[in-house]
Amino acid sequence: MTKRQFSMKQFLFSSALALGLLLGSVSAMAAEGGAELPSAGVNLRDQASLQRGARLFFNYCVGCHSLKFQRYQRMAEDLGLTEDEVMKNLNFTGAKFGDTVVSHMPEDSAKQWFGKAPPDLSLEVRARTADWVYGYLNSFYLDPNRPVGWNNTVFPNASMPFPLWELQGVQTAVKKPGSEDVEKLELTQPGRMTPAQYQQAARDLTNFLAYVSEPAALQRHAYGIWVILFLALFTLLAYALKKEYWKDVH
């Protein structure tokens, strides 16, 4: 076996191993709680979805959760909002336009009410994936055995009450025969939204959190097409230059 063949086999083996580890980690994350994760359908180019998601976050989530790496000013620029729109409709904590998004819930009170302080959600999508967050928002159900009265099939025994229950309605768990495992969830009390409307709302909220986890992605996507065009043009120029250099060799 030549050295080149050996190196190629090493490369293929390393690539296969890395792919296997990646798929394994995704599968393990999907299997958390025994639930198959639906696709969140994240689209950072959908500015209307990002705006709706921001409205949902600041109306239902910011009371407990912070976005310590996200500034109101940056959010306004990226989401096409004016300072007046942000400060009147999305700022409920008295923060300044240049401040980061910080919940006004005292940490000590949060620990007393929920057992621990609610986590900051700035990097939640990067840590969990968008599909996990979307699945989590769709998987709450009533559980009288839990301290807050709610449980979740994606994240079992979560300490978080369900803030969007008025929108989705109330789900109850259908257990597998002879088991405590949840087979499926049934909507037993409709909410203010239809199931399709709520799924879109959950996608919007997930889309917003995906943006928050990496605001620079919006600029990167905008620059990407220009980078591709530059590389295509450079390839043509390089090929023409190569032909010019080598035309007298043969």
Side-chain angles (χ1 to χ4, degrees), residues 39 142 155:
S39 173
L142 279 181
F155 190 14

Side-chain angles (χ1 to χ4, degrees), residues 38 62 74 79 89 105-106 113 126 180 188 208 226:
V62 79
R74 174 64 184 271
L79 272 58
N89 302 317
M105 175 181 286
W113 296 333
R126 296 196 70 177
E180 288 300 311
T188 54
F208 173 70
W226 296 106

Side-chain angles (χ1 to χ4, degrees), residues 60-106:
Y60 292 96
C61 306
V62 79
C64 298
H65 297 283
S66 299
L67 302 174
K68 294 181 180 179
F69 301 119
Q70 179 68 49
R71 296 186 183 276
Y72 290 95
Q73 183 177 9
R74 174 64 184 271
M75 182 177 62
E77 294 172 358
D78 290 341
L79 272 58
L81 302 171
T82 66
E83 179 178 352
D84 188 59
E85 288 172 333
V86 169
M87 299 305 284
K88 283 186 176 180
N89 302 317
L90 301 179
N91 180 8
F92 306 126
T93 62
K96 296 180 180 179
F97 190 50
D99 290 346
T100 57
V101 179
V102 179
S103 170
H104 60 276
M105 175 181 286

Side-chain angles (χ1 to χ4, degrees), residues 137-138 162 164 167-168 193-202:
L137 293 173
N138 279 281
F162 184 32
L164 304 179
L167 303 182
Q168 184 188 33
M193 293 180 171
T194 65
Q197 288 173 333
Y198 177 75
Q199 288 173 12
Q200 182 59 55

